[in-house]
Amino acid sequence: MAPGLTEPQPRVVPTASESIKGPKELFIGGPKGYSKTREENGTETQPAASHPNYLPVWDAETKYPPLELFEHYEHGKDADATTLSDLLQGAIVSDITPNIGAEVRGIQLSSLKPAGKDQLALFVAQKKVVVFRDQDFADLPIEQALEYGRYFGRLHIHPTSGAPPGYPEIHLVHRGADDTTASKILETRTNSITWHSDVTYENQPPGTTFLYVLDTPDAGGDTLFANQAEAYNRLSPEFQKRLHGLKALHSGHEQAQNSLIRGSIVRRDPVTSIHPLVRTHPVTGEKALYVNPQFTRYIIGYKQEESDNLLKFLYDHIAGGQDFQARVKWAVGTVVVWDNRVTAHSAILDWANGQRRHLSRITPQAEPPFETPFVEEKA
């Protein structure tokens, strides 16, 4: 069984009334502020949604059972690193930074055969995040897009997300026309950055992940990505050694309670899982930090002050590592593919003109996080 199902939890997870975390939910509109009329017809200042088939509904009646463990098959293992040129043949590839991110033009993801998808999984694991431009993904029938995602793993159904009718596996990042309520986050915070890896409270969090734009502000609404493997590499060998063997509890309770407070839904009972602080990628063998302030709650076996201080150091280290981060700008036809196992990301709230921000995420789950022994690099 996965560690999160068997290991003791030495401290009670804070209830929602005791600790409400996860302000990233404020980036996503909910049923309270949603207007189907505004989205379908537009407003005096904003056009209608370009992809009305992706407009959200919040189904409060349907409840999903707890997720069961499954055997994940990692297709990146089937790719030969020496043949990545086949995937990129005829493409224009430019690195976003030297150590995270690439932008690709000239490949149509929807046309990839299985061997190309295997190479895609490996390429994304190596680059951490890849931005594909001029894609037709948003215009595919939704079921076809989902079937594409299923190649990379069992599709996750988000416990609090709105979704297109009949397609609960789609996670919508949607803030509608003339909706400026997200600015409330800045009434109590000095910035909008909310670093996280997706749904790390699950026993089998995501791996290769897809996010594609439907509508986006003329400027702003970018997404930051951080290379968690490079964040680990920057630590001293002695510090790395001390992180190995440590595990932390990740909780979805606060996200669920935030959803209810916002008048939204909880489609599956919230869970907690225990994961190593340092996880190993199953294909590249890279070690990466695996903590985030949105879902990680405490380190197993540490007293509260010990846990809080170590986690704060790691969070600050990741947030301050602009030299292992990349900023992705959205444009029509963009599909961003990243590996959730070795990255963290944050949306950026920097537009206040009420323009719609509408994206769709397909989230294949991967293996339970695992750790391999510490090995000091030879000088």
Side-chain angles (χ1 to χ4, degrees):
M1 288 185 128
L5 299 180
T6 60
E7 296 202 26
Q9 300 178 12
R11 193 182 310 158
V12 175
V13 180
T15 65
S17 61
E18 295 170 330
S19 175
I20 301 296
K21 300 184 184 293
K24 76 184 188 69
E25 274 69 48
L26 290 175
F27 285 90
I28 303 173
K32 277 187 176 180
Y34 178 74
S35 169
K36 184 177 180 182
T37 300
R38 284 201 306 263
E39 293 305 282
E40 290 183 341
N41 301 324
T43 70
E44 291 184 0
T45 59
Q46 308 299 336
S50 64
H51 291 77
N53 57 324
Y54 272 97
L55 289 175
V57 297
W58 290 267
D59 181 1
E61 302 301 320
T62 302
K63 301 295 183 183
Y64 293 94
L67 293 178
E68 297 182 357
L69 292 174
F70 72 101
E71 189 70 30
H72 172 67
Y73 186 85
E74 178 51 51
H75 285 282
K77 292 180 177 180
D78 293 336
D80 184 346
T82 64
T83 63
L84 281 180
S85 58
D86 295 345
L87 171 69
L88 303 174
Q89 185 175 10
I92 300 172
V93 182
S94 55
D95 286 338
I96 299 175
T97 79
N99 58 43
I100 176 173
E103 183 168 312
V104 179
R105 296 179 185 270
I107 294 174
Q108 199 58 252
L109 290 175
S110 62
S111 299
L112 292 181
K113 304 300 183 186
K117 294 176 184 177
D118 296 346
Q119 292 173 335
L120 174 65
L122 175 58
F123 183 52
V124 171
Q126 293 173 339
K127 290 295 186 180
K128 310 303 182 285
V129 56
V130 184
V131 181
F132 292 91
R133 304 294 189 186
D134 307 317
Q135 300 295 304
D136 63 4
F137 220 79
D139 298 321
L140 299 176
I142 293 178
E143 180 53 44
Q144 186 176 338
L146 289 173
E147 189 59 32
Y148 190 98
R150 287 189 186 98
Y151 184 82
F152 299 89
R154 183 179 72 182
L155 297 186
H156 182 255
I157 295 178
H158 196 282
T160 68
S161 174
Y167 299 102
E169 301 92 345
I170 293 288
H171 171 66
L172 290 177
V173 181
H174 174 271
R175 184 157 290 280
D178 290 340
D179 183 350
T180 60
T181 57
S183 61
K184 290 184 180 296
I185 193 174
L186 298 179
E187 293 178 1
T188 56
R189 293 166 55 94
T190 59
N191 66 77
S192 62
I193 305 306
T194 53
W195 287 108
H196 64 286
S197 302
D198 290 319
V199 297
T200 60
Y201 48 76
E202 302 288 13
N203 272 280
Q204 292 181 257
T208 308
T209 307
F210 299 79
L211 186 64
Y212 47 103
V213 68
L214 305 166
D215 288 302
T216 187
D218 292 336
D222 302 343
T223 304
L224 295 170
F225 287 87
N227 183 341
Q228 299 279 71
E230 184 62 21
Y232 171 83
N233 292 337
R234 296 289 178 90
L235 301 172
S236 68
E238 286 302 313
F239 200 93
Q240 292 173 346
K241 186 186 303 183
R242 281 156 178 76
L243 293 181
H244 277 264
L246 296 180
K247 296 182 179 181
L249 182 135
H250 298 240
S251 171
H253 288 265
E254 296 79 9
Q255 183 183 71
Q257 186 63 18
N258 279 330
S259 183
L260 295 176
I261 289 172
R262 292 167 45 245
S264 194
I265 60 172
V266 176
R267 302 190 285 185
R268 189 172 59 249
D269 289 341
V271 297
T272 63
S273 293
I274 295 173
H275 300 311
L277 264 68
V278 177
R279 74 177 294 180
T280 301
H281 194 281
V283 178
T284 66
E286 286 184 300
K287 296 179 173 63
L289 296 180
Y290 199 64
V291 294
N292 71 88
Q294 295 300 305
F295 302 124
T296 309
R297 294 293 168 258
Y298 57 82
I299 298 171
I300 302 299
Y302 273 32
K303 293 183 177 180
Q304 180 174 339
E305 295 87 350
E306 297 167 341
S307 174
D308 289 349
N309 278 281
L310 179 51
L311 288 175
K312 182 180 185 304
F313 168 79
L314 294 175
Y315 299 156
D316 290 347
H317 168 56
I318 294 163
Q322 281 83 9
D323 50 351
F324 50 80
Q325 296 173 12
R327 180 167 178 154
V328 171
K329 291 186 175 296
W330 294 98
V332 173
T334 297
V335 178
V336 174
V337 191
W338 73 97
D339 197 316
N340 249 308
R341 292 168 288 204
V342 288
T343 59
H345 60 275
S346 174
I348 301 174
L349 175 61
D350 57 355
W351 82 104
N353 57 5
Q355 290 187 324
R356 181 183 296 104
R357 186 175 187 266
H358 190 190
L359 303 99
S360 173
R361 192 179 81 202
I362 296 176
T363 318
Q365 293 177 255
E367 74 286 344
F370 66 92
E371 177 185 4
T372 53
F374 171 77
V375 177
E376 186 169 354
E377 295 292 332
K378 302 293 184 181

